[in-house]
Amino acid sequence: MDTITSKLRTYEEINDRIAKGEAVVVTAEEVINLVEDEGARRAAREVDVVTTGTFSPMCSSGVFLNFGHADPPIRMQKIWLNDVPAHGGLAAVDTYLGATNLSETAPDYGGAHVIEDLVRGREVTLKAVSGGTDCYPRKEVTTDITLLSINEAVMFNPRNCYQNYNAAVNTTKKTIRTYMGTLLPDMGNVSFATSGQLSPLFNDPTFRSIGMGTRIFLCGAQGHIAWHGTQHRPSVVERDGKTIIGGATLSVVGDLKKMSADFLRAAVFPGYGVSMFVGIGIPIPILDEEMLRATAVTDDELYTQIIDYSYPHRQRPALGTVSYGELRSGTVTLDGKEIRTSPLSSYAKAREIAQTLKKEIEESQFLLQRPAWTLPREGVNNHLE
Amino acid sequence: MNAMIKRKVIFTFPPEIVEKPISHTLMRDYDLWVNILRAKIEPSSGGKLVLELRGDEDMIEQGIESARQAGAGVTLLEHDVLWDKELCVDCGACISTCPTQALSLDRDNFKLIFDFEKCVACGTCAEVCPVKAITIEF
């Protein structure tokens, strides 16, 4: 008997079809109409891969760089790139530059801007100092580098691609500045930050194809999922009679030298600091009908909570539950008040990423990679005391 | 008789002309309907005045010229509020903070729409834009 979990195809069969240019690929938006038109059963038998996309500010991002050695060589202990401090606690000429590190001299400039400048091919000034050692006698170096001039540049982001995230509101009488953008007084606006029905982890909510090794679109390059993200807390809760999928996260890795500023951008949130828009797309293999049904989820079926970001403690109060369909309509109603919404995540870019990934798979440039293990279905939730 | 038109204009006042009644002149001598959208003028440092002018097209041109003659800098609002579509990532962070609802997302392609008809050059969008795609001279 054929059920929704009966196997329709394997990774190997999908990759064979991709290699021959025969794979049927649709985006996570297109699959919604397809299922409406012909039903999930028939659609699952036609479609090999569904592509997803997100383009959102993701603070927990950064790059590992290896500069190559100067002559005489230096063991870099304190490092700056365009006056933005980078980590000096690795080997002599290795560093990690975090996206949110702020410039010591320029306002509204940080690690994400250095990363974007490197991707755009611009020169970046490297300055480093050291106490000097017998094997690394040099004590100071100042020079210009580019993405091409250095040995390695590897993006490694500890936490990206949240499955779901709060919508934010401010109940005080004063404007507040947050990582969820500027929140106007008296619940004057609501901000939210996912691509909803296009977002990768909403389309494979039980992580059947998501895990260590899964090949992904990362800022224009082909990257991989490295691990589950920090604060990975998959959960499903019921609120106000609605199901809210929780906060699974991804750690991702990819070659910065192959990335494009079309899909990676520095971001400044006034009063908060610097973050980075990271573009991620994940292809979902349709191994059975159940997987296709999951990709057909719509914004009207996906919910989040509106959280009061003016509350200055860890456990901020939830003021209501809304669907992404409502949030994306431009206004939501809360306590009888109509409030305008701002997505901080670009839906236009998310769509462009899903379409770009679809094209790459159709043109045999992107093969699917089966994960070595899939994301844990449970997380930990510890706090500082 | 020319058609009535409206135009949003930014007048820049150097300190030495802050006492000249420029808005009054526009109304009295050029028969213009004047709506003050935004104003910040200090006697010591001068400042800017954003007006929406409505009236006969020739009279608007002549009124603007008279303000120039009186020593005010004059630019059209859409020339002073700059939106760089290449830099814009269409995230929509600006939309809900705009007091006049000049910003929205296109319902079909989800790209940003900037309605300069509604803009009063307050600068909020320029301040909140994460990628600095909007700049304003004010």
mmCIF file of all heavy atoms in Angstrom, chain B residues 22-49:
data_model
loop_
_atom_site.group_PDB
_atom_site.id
_atom_site.type_symbol
_atom_site.label_atom_id
_atom_site.label_comp_id
_atom_site.label_asym_id
_atom_site.label_seq_id
_atom_site.Cartn_x
_atom_site.Cartn_y
_atom_site.Cartn_z
ATOM 1 N N ILE B 22 9.753 84.637 3.779
ATOM 2 C CA ILE B 22 9.716 83.989 2.465
ATOM 3 C C ILE B 22 8.394 83.244 2.228
ATOM 4 O O ILE B 22 7.796 83.359 1.158
ATOM 5 C CB ILE B 22 10.960 83.093 2.303
ATOM 6 C CG1 ILE B 22 12.155 84.016 2.050
ATOM 7 C CG2 ILE B 22 10.774 82.093 1.156
ATOM 8 C CD1 ILE B 22 13.468 83.360 1.868
ATOM 9 N N SER B 23 7.899 82.533 3.214
ATOM 10 C CA SER B 23 6.637 81.804 3.028
ATOM 11 C C SER B 23 5.500 82.788 2.762
ATOM 12 O O SER B 23 4.637 82.557 1.925
ATOM 13 C CB SER B 23 6.291 80.979 4.267
ATOM 14 O OG SER B 23 7.408 80.270 4.683
ATOM 15 N N HIS B 24 5.526 83.871 3.517
ATOM 16 C CA HIS B 24 4.479 84.871 3.369
ATOM 17 C C HIS B 24 4.470 85.429 1.946
ATOM 18 O O HIS B 24 3.425 85.590 1.312
ATOM 19 C CB HIS B 24 4.710 85.988 4.387
ATOM 20 C CG HIS B 24 3.688 87.077 4.328
ATOM 21 N ND1 HIS B 24 2.391 86.858 4.716
ATOM 22 C CD2 HIS B 24 3.764 88.366 3.881
ATOM 23 C CE1 HIS B 24 1.702 87.976 4.526
ATOM 24 N NE2 HIS B 24 2.513 88.907 4.023
ATOM 25 N N THR B 25 5.676 85.697 1.431
ATOM 26 C CA THR B 25 5.785 86.223 0.073
ATOM 27 C C THR B 25 5.211 85.234 -0.942
ATOM 28 O O THR B 25 4.516 85.626 -1.888
ATOM 29 C CB THR B 25 7.273 86.525 -0.248
ATOM 30 O OG1 THR B 25 7.779 87.370 0.773
ATOM 31 C CG2 THR B 25 7.425 87.165 -1.600
ATOM 32 N N LEU B 26 5.491 83.962 -0.723
ATOM 33 C CA LEU B 26 4.990 82.944 -1.662
ATOM 34 C C LEU B 26 3.455 82.971 -1.692
ATOM 35 O O LEU B 26 2.838 82.838 -2.739
ATOM 36 C CB LEU B 26 5.479 81.544 -1.253
ATOM 37 C CG LEU B 26 6.978 81.293 -1.388
ATOM 38 C CD1 LEU B 26 7.347 79.951 -0.758
ATOM 39 C CD2 LEU B 26 7.417 81.321 -2.849
ATOM 40 N N MET B 27 2.874 83.167 -0.537
ATOM 41 C CA MET B 27 1.408 83.170 -0.455
ATOM 42 C C MET B 27 0.831 84.461 -1.026
ATOM 43 O O MET B 27 -0.088 84.437 -1.843
ATOM 44 C CB MET B 27 0.972 83.001 1.008
ATOM 45 C CG MET B 27 1.218 81.599 1.551
ATOM 46 S SD MET B 27 0.576 81.385 3.219
ATOM 47 C CE MET B 27 2.012 81.751 4.183
ATOM 48 N N ARG B 28 1.385 85.594 -0.583
ATOM 49 C CA ARG B 28 0.788 86.891 -0.914
ATOM 50 C C ARG B 28 1.052 87.289 -2.366
ATOM 51 O O ARG B 28 0.144 87.647 -3.098
ATOM 52 C CB ARG B 28 1.350 87.971 0.022
ATOM 53 C CG ARG B 28 0.638 89.319 -0.091
ATOM 54 C CD ARG B 28 1.404 90.384 0.639
ATOM 55 N NE ARG B 28 2.766 90.509 0.060
ATOM 56 C CZ ARG B 28 3.765 91.141 0.661
ATOM 57 N NH1 ARG B 28 3.587 91.674 1.864
ATOM 58 N NH2 ARG B 28 4.948 91.231 0.081
ATOM 59 N N ASP B 29 2.328 87.159 -2.793
ATOM 60 C CA ASP B 29 2.681 87.688 -4.104
ATOM 61 C C ASP B 29 2.487 86.681 -5.225
ATOM 62 O O ASP B 29 2.372 87.062 -6.385
ATOM 63 C CB ASP B 29 4.142 88.169 -4.111
ATOM 64 C CG ASP B 29 4.359 89.346 -3.148
ATOM 65 O OD1 ASP B 29 3.340 89.840 -2.614
ATOM 66 O OD2 ASP B 29 5.516 89.730 -2.944
ATOM 67 N N TYR B 30 2.493 85.402 -4.893
ATOM 68 C CA TYR B 30 2.410 84.397 -5.975
ATOM 69 C C TYR B 30 1.157 83.533 -5.852
ATOM 70 O O TYR B 30 1.009 82.560 -6.587
ATOM 71 C CB TYR B 30 3.697 83.553 -5.998
ATOM 72 C CG TYR B 30 4.905 84.428 -6.276
ATOM 73 C CD1 TYR B 30 5.645 84.976 -5.237
ATOM 74 C CD2 TYR B 30 5.244 84.766 -7.588
ATOM 75 C CE1 TYR B 30 6.705 85.829 -5.474
ATOM 76 C CE2 TYR B 30 6.308 85.618 -7.838
ATOM 77 C CZ TYR B 30 7.041 86.134 -6.776
ATOM 78 O OH TYR B 30 8.074 86.984 -7.045
ATOM 79 N N ASP B 31 0.327 83.863 -4.887
ATOM 80 C CA ASP B 31 -0.982 83.217 -4.750
ATOM 81 C C ASP B 31 -0.837 81.698 -4.581
ATOM 82 O O ASP B 31 -1.602 80.923 -5.140
ATOM 83 C CB ASP B 31 -1.842 83.543 -5.986
ATOM 84 C CG ASP B 31 -3.313 83.292 -5.698
ATOM 85 O OD1 ASP B 31 -3.696 83.289 -4.517
ATOM 86 O OD2 ASP B 31 -4.067 83.097 -6.671
ATOM 87 N N LEU B 32 0.196 81.312 -3.844
ATOM 88 C CA LEU B 32 0.443 79.867 -3.669
ATOM 89 C C LEU B 32 -0.183 79.382 -2.372
ATOM 90 O O LEU B 32 -0.217 80.093 -1.370
ATOM 91 C CB LEU B 32 1.943 79.562 -3.664
ATOM 92 C CG LEU B 32 2.691 79.928 -4.940
ATOM 93 C CD1 LEU B 32 4.175 79.585 -4.781
ATOM 94 C CD2 LEU B 32 2.106 79.228 -6.152
ATOM 95 N N TRP B 33 -0.647 78.157 -2.423
ATOM 96 C CA TRP B 33 -1.144 77.443 -1.247
ATOM 97 C C TRP B 33 0.081 76.783 -0.632
ATOM 98 O O TRP B 33 0.772 75.998 -1.297
ATOM 99 C CB TRP B 33 -2.159 76.435 -1.748
ATOM 100 C CG TRP B 33 -2.897 75.639 -0.739
ATOM 101 C CD1 TRP B 33 -4.120 75.919 -0.214
ATOM 102 C CD2 TRP B 33 -2.493 74.374 -0.207
ATOM 103 N NE1 TRP B 33 -4.504 74.915 0.623
ATOM 104 C CE2 TRP B 33 -3.520 73.952 0.654
ATOM 105 C CE3 TRP B 33 -1.365 73.555 -0.358
ATOM 106 C CZ2 TRP B 33 -3.454 72.758 1.356
ATOM 107 C CZ3 TRP B 33 -1.295 72.381 0.340
ATOM 108 C CH2 TRP B 33 -2.330 71.992 1.192
ATOM 109 N N VAL B 34 0.397 77.104 0.615
ATOM 110 C CA VAL B 34 1.649 76.653 1.234
ATOM 111 C C VAL B 34 1.355 75.749 2.422
ATOM 112 O O VAL B 34 0.622 76.135 3.327
ATOM 113 C CB VAL B 34 2.484 77.866 1.703
ATOM 114 C CG1 VAL B 34 3.674 77.418 2.531
ATOM 115 C CG2 VAL B 34 2.946 78.690 0.513
ATOM 116 N N ASN B 35 1.915 74.545 2.379
ATOM 117 C CA ASN B 35 1.771 73.631 3.520
ATOM 118 C C ASN B 35 3.157 73.347 4.078
ATOM 119 O O ASN B 35 4.037 72.853 3.367
ATOM 120 C CB ASN B 35 1.092 72.333 3.053
ATOM 121 C CG ASN B 35 0.796 71.405 4.207
ATOM 122 O OD1 ASN B 35 0.773 71.836 5.363
ATOM 123 N ND2 ASN B 35 0.576 70.148 3.901
ATOM 124 N N ILE B 36 3.355 73.687 5.356
ATOM 125 C CA ILE B 36 4.673 73.452 5.971
ATOM 126 C C ILE B 36 4.766 71.992 6.384
ATOM 127 O O ILE B 36 4.013 71.527 7.232
ATOM 128 C CB ILE B 36 4.870 74.355 7.207
ATOM 129 C CG1 ILE B 36 4.762 75.825 6.798
ATOM 130 C CG2 ILE B 36 6.221 74.073 7.855
ATOM 131 C CD1 ILE B 36 4.752 76.778 7.988
ATOM 132 N N LEU B 37 5.664 71.246 5.749
ATOM 133 C CA LEU B 37 5.823 69.827 6.068
ATOM 134 C C LEU B 37 6.843 69.627 7.179
ATOM 135 O O LEU B 37 6.739 68.714 7.979
ATOM 136 C CB LEU B 37 6.270 69.055 4.826
ATOM 137 C CG LEU B 37 5.313 69.129 3.629
ATOM 138 C CD1 LEU B 37 5.912 68.396 2.443
ATOM 139 C CD2 LEU B 37 3.950 68.554 3.972
ATOM 140 N N ARG B 38 7.827 70.477 7.190
ATOM 141 C CA ARG B 38 8.874 70.315 8.178
ATOM 142 C C ARG B 38 9.669 71.616 8.231
ATOM 143 O O ARG B 38 9.919 72.228 7.202
ATOM 144 C CB ARG B 38 9.802 69.168 7.760
ATOM 145 C CG ARG B 38 10.681 68.684 8.877
ATOM 146 C CD ARG B 38 11.221 67.289 8.591
ATOM 147 N NE ARG B 38 12.059 66.903 9.675
ATOM 148 C CZ ARG B 38 13.369 66.703 9.585
ATOM 149 N NH1 ARG B 38 13.968 66.818 8.419
ATOM 150 N NH2 ARG B 38 14.068 66.370 10.639
ATOM 151 N N ALA B 39 10.089 72.000 9.442
ATOM 152 C CA ALA B 39 10.854 73.240 9.550
ATOM 153 C C ALA B 39 11.810 73.161 10.714
ATOM 154 O O ALA B 39 11.444 72.699 11.797
ATOM 155 C CB ALA B 39 9.912 74.421 9.737
ATOM 156 N N LYS B 40 13.037 73.568 10.484
ATOM 157 C CA LYS B 40 13.985 73.701 11.581
ATOM 158 C C LYS B 40 14.911 74.850 11.232
ATOM 159 O O LYS B 40 15.816 74.699 10.396
ATOM 160 C CB LYS B 40 14.765 72.407 11.790
ATOM 161 C CG LYS B 40 15.591 72.472 13.071
ATOM 162 C CD LYS B 40 16.410 71.237 13.308
ATOM 163 C CE LYS B 40 17.200 71.414 14.601
ATOM 164 N NZ LYS B 40 18.222 70.399 14.755
ATOM 165 N N ILE B 41 14.646 75.985 11.810
ATOM 166 C CA ILE B 41 15.419 77.184 11.498
ATOM 167 C C ILE B 41 15.784 77.873 12.801
ATOM 168 O O ILE B 41 14.914 78.139 13.620
ATOM 169 C CB ILE B 41 14.607 78.149 10.604
ATOM 170 C CG1 ILE B 41 14.216 77.452 9.295
ATOM 171 C CG2 ILE B 41 15.413 79.404 10.309
ATOM 172 C CD1 ILE B 41 13.212 78.212 8.473
ATOM 173 N N GLU B 42 17.077 78.110 12.984
ATOM 174 C CA GLU B 42 17.551 78.802 14.187
ATOM 175 C C GLU B 42 18.151 80.140 13.759
ATOM 176 O O GLU B 42 18.835 80.202 12.727
ATOM 177 C CB GLU B 42 18.645 77.987 14.887
ATOM 178 C CG GLU B 42 18.253 76.581 15.285
ATOM 179 C CD GLU B 42 17.361 76.532 16.506
ATOM 180 O OE1 GLU B 42 17.211 77.580 17.173
ATOM 181 O OE2 GLU B 42 16.794 75.456 16.778
ATOM 182 N N PRO B 43 17.939 81.189 14.548
ATOM 183 C CA PRO B 43 18.500 82.495 14.168
ATOM 184 C C PRO B 43 20.014 82.458 13.990
ATOM 185 O O PRO B 43 20.558 83.126 13.117
ATOM 186 C CB PRO B 43 18.121 83.396 15.348
ATOM 187 C CG PRO B 43 16.965 82.721 15.993
ATOM 188 C CD PRO B 43 17.140 81.257 15.765
ATOM 189 N N SER B 44 20.712 81.673 14.800
ATOM 190 C CA SER B 44 22.177 81.697 14.754
ATOM 191 C C SER B 44 22.754 80.847 13.631
ATOM 192 O O SER B 44 23.814 81.152 13.090
ATOM 193 C CB SER B 44 22.734 81.208 16.088
ATOM 194 O OG SER B 44 22.222 79.920 16.346
ATOM 195 N N SER B 45 22.048 79.773 13.254
ATOM 196 C CA SER B 45 22.653 78.846 12.288
ATOM 197 C C SER B 45 21.833 78.680 11.014
ATOM 198 O O SER B 45 22.218 77.958 10.104
ATOM 199 C CB SER B 45 22.845 77.479 12.956
ATOM 200 O OG SER B 45 21.624 77.027 13.482
ATOM 201 N N GLY B 46 20.681 79.339 10.922
ATOM 202 C CA GLY B 46 19.829 79.133 9.750
ATOM 203 C C GLY B 46 19.140 77.788 9.848
ATOM 204 O O GLY B 46 18.932 77.266 10.939
ATOM 205 N N GLY B 47 18.782 77.220 8.692
ATOM 206 C CA GLY B 47 18.127 75.913 8.727
ATOM 207 C C GLY B 47 17.369 75.621 7.458
ATOM 208 O O GLY B 47 17.658 76.211 6.408
ATOM 209 N N LYS B 48 16.418 74.678 7.586
ATOM 210 C CA LYS B 48 15.687 74.245 6.393
ATOM 211 C C LYS B 48 14.192 74.251 6.627
ATOM 212 O O LYS B 48 13.711 74.064 7.747
ATOM 213 C CB LYS B 48 16.131 72.841 5.987
ATOM 214 C CG LYS B 48 17.595 72.764 5.620
ATOM 215 C CD LYS B 48 17.865 71.750 4.539
ATOM 216 C CE LYS B 48 19.365 71.708 4.247
ATOM 217 N NZ LYS B 48 19.658 71.056 2.982
ATOM 218 N N LEU B 49 13.492 74.459 5.543
ATOM 219 C CA LEU B 49 12.041 74.519 5.574
ATOM 220 C C LEU B 49 11.542 73.668 4.401
ATOM 221 O O LEU B 49 11.943 73.898 3.258
ATOM 222 C CB LEU B 49 11.606 75.980 5.394
ATOM 223 C CG LEU B 49 10.121 76.277 5.261
ATOM 224 C CD1 LEU B 49 9.393 75.947 6.561
ATOM 225 C CD2 LEU B 49 9.927 77.762 4.911
#
